[in-house]
């Protein structure tokens, strides 16, 4: 039994000590009654699943990335072997479906790759772990190929490819990989996302013909430095953003624009629209702006989103879209809209009362969107570049291993290309005619 204490408080403390040893823990949170929910303030930690419940920007660094940073960067680069043979190429293949993975590996073996050189992973994290390990192992004098599916749990192919390019930009990789996308949504990745951070986009399932063409592009990338400009090389800075705040309530427009201005957006880069016609006029006028600057629409009236999407789709079909907007719902019903069919018209959702944590989350999500889309930072004069499979202009080619962005390329494997008139079939003659027509100031290449 606990000894008797002179005061009641000491006696209570003594009884507690007698029951169990003291623990160095803080007070346990009280569980709310069953069937109820709790609200949180902007300063408290929100519950898991809240759209604004995100860590600090880029605080989540995958462990393979840290491993690459911890490796000895002073080790000299290996001598480059220009005789590229599939049997000596290391491959990292990330695919969560075992059936598709085994099918693709079977096709890789037909082309000449060896089974012991193929390293499998279930998601992007696993691919980064193999990438970190193969910096000092494998066939260091030969190319390193990374095959990525787009939709995978944990880390998808888009984020994995972006992480790889961020390492390349920081000169953290001894072996810079040749990243290939293999996905059932290859048309979306090619047309809507401009191939993102992938050098080649292949359909799923693949066959030997696609692999042979991709292998030829790999040889030119490895020996001549011919590649395409990847989206990760585009800059993203809050001071380089253009914003359209659209809402019927002036107070809501002011609150949204002020919150983003506090995050670094310049006040003169924010335009306001109080009705749908004014919004569409501002969106049309923004198409003549700088394509290197992301365009964000803070939309407080959800009904206008369908009109914006129709405008973008129509311009895409005609090959006339220059700046696709990142549409953010700031409606009071943004939480409800996130689970309805109307969510397909928005890229992000924010509450009506914005906090700086919400703005940081939105800007980080916009950065990932911006740096995984290949169409947003291509000047008009460079859209018809043909530094790909057949030949490359002197301005488009760079030395392999340099940290400068790759030049644009002629898209292979039957996918559309960017030219003076927009999307066109993959034919060099059409590209050349389109560039000449643009130089002459005519709108019809024919």
């Amino acid at each position: 039994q606990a000894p008797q204490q002179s005061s009641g408080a000491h006696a209570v403390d003594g009884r507690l000590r007698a029951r169990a040893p003291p623990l160095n823990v803080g007070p346990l949170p009280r569980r709310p009654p069953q069937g109820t929910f709790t609200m949180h303030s902007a300063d408290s930690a929100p519950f898991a699943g809240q759209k604004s419940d995100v860590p600090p920007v880029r605080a989540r660094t995958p462990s393979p990335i840290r491993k690459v940073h911890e490796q000895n960067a002073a080790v000299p680069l290996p001598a480059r072997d220009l005789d590229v043979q599939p049997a000596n190429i290391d491959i990292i293949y990330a695919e969560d479906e075992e059936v598709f993975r085994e099918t693709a590996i079977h096709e890789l073996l037909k082309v000449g790759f060896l089974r012991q050189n193929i390293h499998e992973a279930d998601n992007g994290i696993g691919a980064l772990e193999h990438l970190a390990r193969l910096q000092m192992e494998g066939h260091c004098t030969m190319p390193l190929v990374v095959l990525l599916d787009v939709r995978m749990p944990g880390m998808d192919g888009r984020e994995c490819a972006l992480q790889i390019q961020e390492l390349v930009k920081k000169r953290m990789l001894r072996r810079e990989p040749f990243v290939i996308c293999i996905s059932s949504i290859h048309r979306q990745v090619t047309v809507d996302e401009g191939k993102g951070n992938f050098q080649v986009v292949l359909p799923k399932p693949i066959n030997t013909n696609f692999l042979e063409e991709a292998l030829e592009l790999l040889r030119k990338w490895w020996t001549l430095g011919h590649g395409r400009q990847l989206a990760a090389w585009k800059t993203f800075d809050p001071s380089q953003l253009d914003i359209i705040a659209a809402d019927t309530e002036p107070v809501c427009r002011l609150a949204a624009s002020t919150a983003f201005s506090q995050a670094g957006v310049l006040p003169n880069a924010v335009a306001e629209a109080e009705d749908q016609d004014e919004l569409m006029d501002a969106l049309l006028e923004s198409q003549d702006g700088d394509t290197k600057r992301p365009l964000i629409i803070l939309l407080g009236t959800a009904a206008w989103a369908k009109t914006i999407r129709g405008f973008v789709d129509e311009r895409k079909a005609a090959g006339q879209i220059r700046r696709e907007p990142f549409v953010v719902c700031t409606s009071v019903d943004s939480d409800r809209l996130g689970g309805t069919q109307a969510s397909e018209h928005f890229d992000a959702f924010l509450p009506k009362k914005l906090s700086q944590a919400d703005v940081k989350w939105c800007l980080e999500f916009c950065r990932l969107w911006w740096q995984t889309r290949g169409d947003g930072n291509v000047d008009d004069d460079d859209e018809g570049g043909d530094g790909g499979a057949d030949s490359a202009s002197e301005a488009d080619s760079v030395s392999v291993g340099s940290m400068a962005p790759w030049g644009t390329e002629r898209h292979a494997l039957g996918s559309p290309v960017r030219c003076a008139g927009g999307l066109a079939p993959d034919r060099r003659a059409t590209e050349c005619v389109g560039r000449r027509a643009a130089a002459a100031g005519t709108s019809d290449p024919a």
Side-chain angles (χ1 to χ4, degrees):
Q1 294 182 355
Q4 296 293 331
Q5 304 292 335
S6 59
S7 66
H10 288 280
V12 172
D13 184 63
R15 287 196 298 272
L16 290 177
R17 291 184 182 180
R19 291 193 187 102
L23 299 176
N24 295 326
V25 297
L28 297 176
R30 297 182 60 186
R31 178 177 297 179
Q34 185 175 3
T36 62
F37 64 94
T38 57
M39 300 297 291
H40 63 276
S41 63
D43 297 331
S44 63
F47 58 88
Q50 180 82 5
K51 292 184 176 64
S52 59
D53 176 20
V54 293
V57 177
R58 304 312 298 169
R60 181 178 63 86
T61 302
S63 57
I65 302 298
R66 293 197 298 268
K67 186 184 299 184
V68 172
H69 282 263
E70 293 168 359
Q71 287 179 349
N72 185 10
V75 178
L77 292 174
R80 187 181 297 271
D81 188 353
L82 301 182
D83 185 15
V84 179
Q85 298 297 329
N88 298 325
I89 295 178
D90 295 316
I91 293 182
I92 301 172
Y93 186 20
E95 167 65 66
D96 58 326
E97 295 288 343
E98 185 176 357
V99 174
F100 289 111
R101 189 165 64 240
E102 292 299 328
T103 302
I105 290 175
H106 181 69
E107 297 296 325
L108 289 170
L109 298 181
K110 289 182 181 180
V111 178
F113 296 96
L114 298 183
R115 187 65 178 83
Q116 60 266 26
N117 296 334
I118 301 177
H119 309 270
E120 303 176 42
D122 294 330
N123 54 22
I125 291 288
L128 292 176
E129 290 176 351
H130 287 305
L131 178 64
R133 179 174 55 83
L134 290 175
Q135 295 302 303
M136 307 298 294
E137 300 178 9
H139 303 82
C140 295
T141 62
M142 298 295 291
L144 175 61
V145 178
V146 176
L147 306 178
L148 296 174
D149 185 22
V150 172
R151 294 177 290 195
M152 294 182 293
M155 177 184 288
D156 61 12
R158 294 186 183 93
E159 184 177 357
C160 181
L162 177 60
Q163 292 278 5
I164 292 174
Q165 288 306 312
E166 288 179 346
L167 290 174
V168 172
K169 290 192 295 184
K170 296 176 182 178
R171 298 178 179 267
M172 299 301 299
L173 296 180
R174 298 174 68 248
R175 302 181 66 186
E176 179 181 344
F178 187 82
V179 185
I180 299 176
C181 171
I182 301 178
S183 177
S184 57
I185 57 171
H186 64 282
R187 290 291 299 174
Q188 174 184 336
V189 176
T190 301
V191 179
D192 296 340
E193 303 176 15
K195 300 177 80 172
N197 291 301
F198 305 106
Q199 289 287 347
V200 180
V201 178
L202 301 178
K204 183 197 293 184
I206 59 175
N207 55 41
T208 55
N209 293 331
F210 291 145
L211 291 176
E212 290 286 358
E213 295 188 38
L215 185 59
E216 183 62 24
L217 291 176
L218 170 64
R219 288 191 176 99
K220 292 185 178 295
W221 174 83
W222 180 254
T223 59
L224 302 177
H226 295 172
R228 60 177 298 271
Q229 181 178 348
L230 301 182
W233 294 92
K234 298 189 296 184
T235 58
F236 184 88
D237 190 332
S239 63
Q240 301 296 321
L241 299 179
D242 291 330
I243 289 182
I244 301 176
D247 200 308
T248 55
E249 296 293 336
V251 176
C252 297
R253 296 197 303 268
L254 178 62
S257 59
T258 302
F260 277 80
S261 297
Q262 293 175 352
V265 179
L266 300 180
N268 58 359
V270 180
E272 296 186 5
E274 62 181 0
D275 54 41
Q276 181 172 314
D277 293 337
E278 190 172 345
L279 168 62
M280 298 310 298
D281 290 341
L283 179 58
L284 183 61
E285 183 180 356
S286 67
Q287 297 301 303
D288 297 330
D290 189 357
T291 58
K292 295 183 176 65
R293 297 170 61 96
L295 175 63
I296 300 178
I297 296 180
L298 305 178
L299 192 59
T301 306
W304 299 348
K306 189 175 182 180
T307 305
I308 298 175
R309 186 58 56 189
F311 172 85
V312 172
D313 293 342
E314 181 181 354
R315 289 267 173 160
K316 275 187 176 181
Q320 299 175 352
I321 188 73
R322 297 185 72 251
R323 304 179 69 191
E324 182 176 354
F326 182 81
V327 185
V328 181
C329 179
T330 59
S331 171
V332 68
D333 297 328
S334 60
D335 288 337
R336 180 184 63 83
L337 288 173
T340 64
Q341 189 176 4
S343 63
E344 64 184 12
H345 302 312
F346 296 97
D347 298 299
F349 295 84
L350 288 177
K352 203 74 168 180
K353 296 182 179 180
L354 294 175
S355 66
Q356 280 302 301
D358 297 327
V359 175
K360 289 182 179 180
W361 168 82
C362 183
L363 291 178
E364 172 61 10
F365 194 51
C366 181
R367 185 190 73 86
L368 294 176
W369 174 86
W370 175 250
Q371 293 187 336
T372 53
R373 303 181 73 87
D375 287 343
N377 193 15
V378 180
D379 296 334
D380 292 340
D381 295 335
D382 296 330
E383 286 181 353
D386 44 324
D390 295 332
S391 65
S393 63
E394 183 177 353
D396 285 340
S397 62
V398 295
S399 59
V400 175
S402 67
M403 297 300 111
W406 294 105
T408 55
E409 65 149 342
R410 180 178 67 88
H411 290 206
L413 309 176
S415 59
V417 299
R418 299 292 303 178
C419 64
L423 290 175
D426 185 11
R427 292 177 297 184
R428 294 175 54 80
T430 304
E431 296 176 3
C432 296
V433 171
R435 288 197 301 274
R436 293 190 186 116
T442 59
S443 58
D444 187 3

